[in-house]
Amino acid sequence: SQTIHQWPATLVQPVGSPLSLECTVEGTSNPNLYWYRQAAGRGLQLLFYSVGIGQISSEVPQNLSASRPQDRQFILSSKKLLLSDSGFYLCAWSVQGGTQYFGPGTRLTVL
Amino acid sequence: GQSLEQPSEVTAVEGAIVQINCTYQTSGFYGLSWYQQHDGGAPTFLSYNALDGLEETGRFSSFLSRSDSYGYLLLQELQMKDSASYFCAVEGATNKLIFGTGTLLAVQP
């Protein structure tokens, strides 16, 4: 069976510090991978998606970036965090786009 | 532009049936999905409709009318554990989902 891991589960970072969130998927090959952000009480905003190694599509201009160094690894990064980067970051995978499976998420607080 | 509309809140009692509607406007359409999210947790996949009609999975059913740009999620025999947020999402382009803002369902005893 397929599983998706994200870490860390929670993170508190000061403004201006760097960020690296990691997501890995097990039990499937060549999945589509996604990064979403969810503000408190809001819907999910697609940040990045990837259909293969090294292939990244950015949905929203911002100070975040994503990389896919391996088939089942997806990394979200920032060089300098802003207060507005606080939120619940979710990684997801799919084989077919309408059926996506989410990781447990990382709750990021920027102070 | 692309937009999805669903009610912000719905309240129902245990054992009842509730329907959560979703209307959408997108430049492309491949299918409509539904996700459940409990407070503090991650969304979990419930259903996906690519064709018109009703799909049933246990107590949950999902309906799609492509001509009306409309769908709904039907929850039967409501249980307290069904209290959660429910999101509709449109696959408007290959492999990408646009999510609605969610419907908070409160199930009361």
Side-chain angles (χ1 to χ4, degrees), chain A residues 7-77:
Chain A
W7 62 90
T10 59
L11 192 58
V12 180
Q13 292 284 96
V15 169
S17 64
L19 174 73
S20 181
L21 302 181
E22 188 163 343
C23 169
T24 59
V25 181
E26 296 177 356
T28 186
S29 296
N30 197 31
N32 300 318
L33 296 174
Y34 308 84
W35 278 112
Y36 291 88
R37 179 170 59 201
Q38 186 177 33
R42 306 290 293 276
L44 284 78
Q45 179 187 36
L46 179 62
L47 302 175
F48 302 94
Y49 75 97
S50 171
V51 299
I53 295 174
Q55 300 179 61
I56 309 294
S57 295
S58 174
E59 292 297 299
V60 182
Q62 57 210 323
N63 69 322
L64 299 173
S65 62
S67 62
R68 185 170 177 173
Q70 299 180 46
D71 181 44
R72 287 167 286 180
Q73 184 185 30
F74 205 22
I75 297 172
L76 182 70
S77 304

Side-chain angles (χ1 to χ4, degrees), chain A residues 32 34 36 38 42-44 46 49 59 88 90 95 97-104 107, chain B residues 33 35 37 40-45 47-48 87 91 94-102:
Chain A
N32 300 318
Y34 308 84
Y36 291 88
Q38 186 177 33
R42 306 290 293 276
L44 284 78
L46 179 62
Y49 75 97
E59 292 297 299
F88 192 33
L90 291 152
V95 173
T99 306
Q100 295 186 12
Y101 300 95
F102 287 82
R107 204 163 298 277
Chain B
S33 302
Y35 291 80
Q37 185 178 29
T44 56
F45 171 77
S47 67
Y48 176 72
F87 294 88
E91 187 183 8
T94 304
N95 298 316
K96 288 170 54 177
L97 288 178
I98 307 295
F99 280 82
T101 53

Side-chain angles (χ1 to χ4, degrees), chain B residues 4-81:
Chain B
L4 291 87
E5 289 192 18
Q6 52 181 128
S8 59
E9 294 183 18
V10 173
T11 301
V13 297
E14 264 188 305
I17 299 173
V18 71
Q19 179 174 313
I20 301 174
N21 298 320
C22 176
T23 57
Y24 58 87
Q25 187 173 23
T26 60
S27 55
F29 183 83
Y30 288 82
L32 183 71
S33 302
W34 288 92
Y35 291 80
Q36 178 192 61
Q37 185 178 29
H38 285 100
D39 190 29
T44 56
F45 171 77
L46 292 177
S47 67
Y48 176 72
N49 294 65
L51 303 175
D52 286 358
L54 189 68
E55 297 276 348
E56 298 182 58
T57 308
R59 296 188 295 114
F60 294 2
S61 303
S62 57
F63 172 82
L64 175 66
S65 169
R66 295 173 67 118
S67 60
D68 295 323
S69 298
Y70 164 75
Y72 65 73
L73 180 69
L74 189 73
L75 298 84
Q76 303 182 72
E77 301 173 19
L78 279 175
Q79 302 176 9
M80 296 297 292
K81 67 179 182 179

